[in-house]
Amino acid sequence: MVRRSDAASNAIPHVAALRPRHSDDGGMISIKVPPLGESIVEATISRWLKKEGDVVAQNESLVELETDKITVEVPAFKAGVLTKQQKKEGDVVSVGEEIGQIDESASVGASAPAASPAPAKTPQAAPAAAPSPAPSPAPARAPAAAARSVTAALPRTSPAVRRIAADQGVDPAQVAGSGPGGRVTKGDMLAATSSASSAPVSNTPAAPTVPAPRAPAPRTPAPASQNGRETRERMTTRRRRIAEHLLESQHATAHLTTFNEVDMSAVSAVRDRLRERIEKEHGVKLTYMPFFAKAASLALKAYPAVNAQIEGDTVVYKHYVNLGIAVAADNGLVVPVIKDADQMSMIEFSRALSAVAKRARDGALAMDDLTGGSFTITNGGVFGSLVSTPILNYPQVAILGLHKIQDRPVAIAGKVEIRPMMYLALSYDHRLVDGQQAVLFLVRVKELIEDPAAMLVE
């Protein structure tokens, strides 16, 4: 079970979490797997960002590690030469395990020849034949060097942000940060580079959309095939842990699902009427999720067992709603948590949801984004699912499943009318939640969605 504490929630893989370890071989520095957050003890090497023999600068990212929750970049704490990669891409490694080495003493010898020939050859070439093409390479390197010097002066940026700044020549100081305390995240940098790349080519609209930066797709080893009839891939750490988590949920809980259907006419009318104005005034898109988040929060207060948790022979009732929202990212399903969702207005919730969903798609989620949830909502309707039985996000005891809105004939006051209908599903742990509580919870959500004005007076 996951317990949140101030120390645990801040146990994000961070530059300060790993210190260089010198081996007995002079200037050799061990590269070790840093702490990865609470309850995470292993990761998969997604890709090496540097090759053996490459010169690396201090704080430059060396390797990407993929866990079941987030992707971590391990930086170099000293400048030097990457002399050894002890683990390959796709290998599973443990916290504290050595995965490579840097020769710190080689950095002087490696960087000096690279810097000294340029000024030495320039004065000799000038009196000879005054070659015009010679100066052209120098300006080409200037932006990258300038970007590196700028980003080196920003200690509050992550290695991923500094790498994007160096590669794209974007100054993080000029980017609006969406992270805690206004910190610039990887997603902010990707958005900034995307907008910057589209600005100079306004006369060719198709070009900017193709190279727009995205979060790197998960790297997997080259698959082995048999005459093209089969393909084998090694499961990623995230996919393997998702599988383990789902099996644990099925085996550790008395899993049951109850269903209902809701008429979406009233909510759709409110949303259609206010959507454009809210987007213009507040800069957020009004989706259906804030309505269900509000309805679920009110229903959870009426039926607190649905928001509780079992710890051994103790029931923990939570007087807050930390709402997990299942998000389908490129590298697998994640469930970021919006803390104290019951205290938020719909606009505040929409803004928080938009920010955390963007971090999920950009692979920039922090550990605190993924821990501490008390109840989860999953929406299979965005993919066309008509009905399903969601699996509990253990150790939570309930999860609400939303589905596709579909026009169906229903009986209204003795007449058959076509209404936009949605099936709702509540999966729950029958060890703690009785069938009566589950059904009444779902009915309460249905009542609030069909009469959204009632949510204003609760």
Side-chain angles (χ1 to χ4, degrees), residues 388-449:
S388 66
T389 56
I391 297 178
L392 297 177
N393 188 12
Y394 185 78
Q396 297 172 25
V397 298
I399 180 172
L400 177 65
L402 312 181
H403 299 92
K404 178 182 178 180
I405 300 174
Q406 186 180 57
D407 286 343
R408 292 199 298 271
V410 293
I412 305 294
K415 299 179 184 177
V416 176
E417 296 185 14
I418 304 298
R419 295 289 183 95
M421 305 297 293
M422 175 195 286
Y423 288 117
L424 301 179
L426 181 75
S427 292
Y428 58 98
D429 189 345
H430 211 338
R431 296 178 303 162
L432 180 59
V433 182
D434 294 332
Q436 179 188 22
Q437 292 173 310
V439 171
L440 291 176
F441 170 88
L442 207 53
V443 168
R444 186 62 184 141
V445 172
K446 169 185 169 69
E447 291 172 348
L448 291 169
I449 293 297

Side-chain angles (χ1 to χ4, degrees), residues 75 78 84 88 209 216 223 233 249 255 297 301 358 364 424-425:
K78 296 285 185 179
K84 183 185 293 186
K88 299 178 296 183
T209 60
E233 292 182 354
S249 178
H255 195 279
S297 296
K301 289 190 176 182
K358 182 177 184 298
L424 301 179

Side-chain angles (χ1 to χ4, degrees), residues 87-355:
K87 298 293 182 177
K88 299 178 296 183
E89 294 182 0
D91 286 353
V92 176
V93 293
S94 303
V95 172
E97 184 175 355
E98 184 174 279
I99 58 176
Q101 289 186 344
I102 292 176
D103 187 355
E104 182 185 7
S105 62
S107 63
V108 177
S111 58
S116 57
K121 291 185 178 180
T122 305
Q124 292 176 1
S132 56
S136 59
R141 294 192 181 95
R148 292 181 189 278
S149 64
V150 170
T151 54
L154 293 168
R156 288 186 58 78
T157 56
S158 68
V161 169
R162 289 193 291 272
R163 181 162 59 88
I164 294 172
D167 292 342
Q168 303 293 334
V170 175
D171 184 358
Q174 306 301 318
V175 177
S178 62
R183 183 170 179 170
V184 177
T185 67
K186 180 179 178 181
D188 297 330
M189 290 296 291
L190 291 174
T193 54
S194 176
S195 60
S197 65
S198 61
V201 283
S202 57
N203 57 343
T204 55
T209 60
V210 177
R214 292 276 299 170
R219 269 87 176 167
T220 54
S225 61
Q226 299 178 348
N227 301 325
R229 291 171 60 85
E230 293 182 358
T231 300
R232 294 178 181 268
E233 292 182 354
R234 187 171 185 172
M235 291 179 71
T236 64
T237 298
R238 176 173 296 180
R239 177 52 56 189
R240 191 169 67 251
R241 290 300 298 273
I242 288 173
E244 293 170 358
H245 189 68
L246 293 177
L247 285 175
E248 180 186 19
S249 178
Q250 290 281 52
H251 294 159
T253 64
H255 195 279
L256 192 63
T257 304
T258 186
F259 300 91
N260 211 319
E261 62 178 351
V262 57
D263 185 345
M264 297 293 291
S265 300
V267 164
S268 296
V270 171
R271 177 174 173 264
D272 291 342
R273 187 171 69 251
L274 299 178
R275 177 172 49 184
E276 187 174 343
R277 193 181 82 187
I278 287 177
E279 187 169 358
K280 183 182 299 183
E281 294 180 359
H282 299 279
V284 295
K285 292 184 178 180
L286 183 62
T287 65
Y288 290 108
M289 186 60 75
F291 293 94
F292 280 100
K294 188 69 172 179
S297 296
L298 294 173
L300 289 171
K301 289 190 176 182
Y303 303 98
V306 184
N307 194 44
Q309 185 174 312
I310 297 176
E311 290 185 7
D313 58 356
T314 302
V315 178
V316 180
Y317 291 96
K318 301 179 180 180
H319 306 297
Y320 56 87
V321 178
N322 287 351
L323 194 58
I325 305 294
V327 176
D330 290 340
N331 51 358
L333 181 73
V334 290
V335 186
V337 177
I338 298 177
K339 308 293 172 57
D340 296 316
D342 55 320
Q343 303 298 319
M344 296 181 178
S345 68
M346 289 192 189
I347 292 175
E348 291 172 334
F349 181 86
S350 296
R351 188 175 290 114
L353 177 60
S354 177

